[in-house]
Amino acid sequence: MKLLTFAVPCYNSQDYMARCVDTLLTGGDRVEIILVDDGSTDNTGAIADRYAEEHPDIVKVIHQPNQGHGAGVNAGLDNATGLYYKVVDSDDWLDTGSLERLLDQLEAWHHAETRVDMVVCNYVYDHLHEGKQSSMGYRNIFPAGKICGWEDTSRFGPSQYLIMHALIFRTQLLRDSGVRLPVHTFYVDNLFAYKPLPLVETICYLDMDLYHYFLGRDDQSVNESVLMRRIDQQIKVNKLVAESVDLKTVRSPKLARYMTRNVSIMTSISSIHLLLIGTPEALEKRRELWEYMDRLDPTLYKKLRYHCLSGFTYLPGSFGRWLTLTGYRLARRVVQFQ
């Protein structure tokens, strides 16, 4: 039995995928690595096949027509046999010492028949070419090394939220949640890290820097200029996240508050970048997004509009738009979001 399945969506990854896969292989026979070649036009598929030939008991390869990152995550989940499931992007990598500790813990839980629905680890923003790193942790939120529930958690900080890079889910829980990511769409990791949460009853935070998130490519979706070019996809995922869970049915008040905050953050990002684009069409899309939220869930809309940060990104009139952008630029200089 495999303890942990890694899904690695790969598209034209020939120049950097070995760095990723080699770190995963240190997990040995306890892991399963599913390389999803998403219609690559370079040597990605051949490299993936070579890994499968060299490590037939660990590596599987799926070749599929190009459908985007979400399709790779879906294909990995469809074929996973591990007890737990984690997505690793092909330009990122794991700390091998932390991976060994993680697998030892998963194995101990398995032998003790202890069910943990979600494991949270730190992730590192790695500006590899500049030699700079910044670790994002959750020490102030979860009791480290202890199995807990949502009501045992503390309040998230302003820049803290659970992203795909920090999370490891029990595979069956993901399947039970029905999470399915749209194809040909960026930013789908937001949906992956959101929709399964109401099914999570037991959580364990392991205070270690497991995931290294590479920053430095000009075409990365997190770059502001790229995000503005793909704003329609950001809006699409924003809506999918908001409609994926009826927050009134979430049993834990703390989880409901966190999930509301998550929708608020996404809506803030959409609103601000539409303001940065600044065209009449963009402003109309901003208005339509907020009207959609109101139609979807008036209670959620009121929270987003009047009780969350997102409300400051939808201030009325030209002065309101100026105030929003001024605040955003000031916050960007102070916080240095990336």
Side-chain angles (χ1 to χ4, degrees):
M1 176 176 288
K2 299 293 186 179
L3 289 172
L4 178 58
T5 293
F6 292 114
V8 186
C10 302
Y11 176 71
N12 288 354
S13 307
Q14 65 176 21
D15 294 335
Y16 43 77
M17 63 186 291
R19 179 180 60 201
C20 171
V21 178
D22 289 347
T23 64
L24 306 184
L25 282 169
T26 64
D29 291 336
R30 295 191 287 182
V31 305
E32 171 184 61
I33 303 170
I34 301 178
L35 304 178
V36 183
D37 170 26
D38 189 50
S40 299
T41 58
D42 63 0
N43 290 324
T44 294
I47 294 171
D49 288 338
R50 186 169 69 245
Y51 273 112
E53 291 172 5
E54 295 172 353
H55 306 277
D57 296 328
I58 299 174
V59 178
K60 298 178 182 177
V61 178
I62 297 172
H63 298 282
Q64 63 184 27
N66 178 255
Q67 300 173 76
H69 185 266
V73 176
N74 294 339
L77 185 57
D78 289 342
N79 291 274
T81 63
L83 291 174
Y84 289 85
Y85 184 79
K86 182 163 185 62
V87 180
V88 183
D89 290 342
S90 59
D91 55 347
D92 300 333
W93 66 96
L94 300 189
D95 177 81
T96 56
S98 296
L99 174 57
E100 183 177 4
R101 290 173 53 198
L102 168 65
L103 291 170
D104 287 345
Q105 184 62 79
L106 296 182
E107 191 167 27
W109 288 333
H110 176 57
H111 289 321
E113 297 184 351
T114 300
R115 194 189 85 178
V116 177
D117 292 329
M118 184 177 77
V119 183
V120 181
C121 297
N122 307 332
Y123 61 98
V124 178
Y125 284 126
D126 204 314
H127 298 261
L128 188 65
H129 301 321
E130 301 174 18
K132 297 179 181 178
Q133 294 182 345
S134 57
S135 175
M136 307 298 290
Y138 301 90
R139 301 171 189 90
N140 58 315
I141 300 167
F142 301 99
K146 298 181 180 179
I147 299 173
C148 67
W150 291 110
E151 293 309 302
D152 301 311
T153 62
S154 301
R155 188 178 292 272
F156 284 74
S159 62
Q160 286 180 307
Y161 48 100
L162 299 171
I163 68 170
M164 186 169 69
H165 306 315
L167 302 179
I168 301 146
F169 286 107
R170 194 165 51 82
T171 304
Q172 189 57 50
L173 182 141
L174 286 175
R175 291 171 174 157
D176 292 343
S177 77
V179 63
R180 204 76 186 166
L181 304 187
V183 301
H184 297 299
T185 307
F186 287 88
Y187 313 113
V188 293
D189 52 324
N190 292 286
L191 184 59
F192 181 87
Y194 182 88
K195 184 175 173 60
L197 295 182
L199 294 187
V200 172
E201 296 181 353
T202 51
I203 309 160
C204 188
Y205 167 53
L206 301 178
D207 187 3
M208 57 189 185
D209 294 344
L210 175 67
Y211 194 104
H212 282 255
Y213 178 26
F214 173 69
L215 289 174
R217 292 205 334 266
D218 291 336
D219 63 342
Q220 282 185 299
S221 60
V222 294
N223 291 346
E224 186 171 86
S225 60
V226 175
L227 194 151
M228 285 194 287
R229 290 200 303 272
R230 297 171 177 164
I231 190 64
D232 288 341
Q233 297 181 52
Q234 163 69 19
I235 293 170
K236 175 181 177 179
V237 175
N238 195 157
K239 292 178 179 179
L240 287 172
V241 166
E243 68 190 31
S244 68
V245 175
D246 182 354
L247 295 180
K248 294 186 288 295
T249 67
V250 175
R251 288 175 291 181
S252 165
K254 286 190 175 181
L255 175 58
R257 184 163 57 243
Y258 167 77
M259 295 182 77
T260 299
R261 176 179 174 273
N262 204 346
V263 177
S264 171
I265 291 170
M266 286 203 70
T267 307
S268 297
I269 292 171
S270 299
S271 292
I272 287 171
H273 284 89
L274 286 166
L275 282 179
L276 288 170
I277 295 170
T279 63
E281 181 185 14
L283 297 180
E284 176 61 21
K285 288 179 179 178
R286 176 170 167 263
R287 183 189 64 79
E288 192 278 330
L289 172 62
W290 280 93
E291 289 185 353
Y292 170 85
M293 291 294 182
D294 194 10
R295 293 193 305 271
L296 176 69
D297 186 338
T299 301
L300 174 62
Y301 170 82
K302 289 176 182 177
K303 290 179 180 178
L304 298 180
R305 188 78 170 80
Y306 303 111
H307 302 286
C308 294
L309 173 66
S310 51
F312 292 100
T313 69
Y314 194 50
L315 300 174
S318 57
F319 178 75
R321 295 194 292 273
W322 175 85
L323 194 61
T324 295
L325 290 177
T326 300
Y328 166 73
R329 287 166 178 146
L330 176 63
R332 186 175 173 84
R333 286 200 298 271
V334 173
V335 180
Q336 295 182 336
F337 293 153
Q338 297 176 5

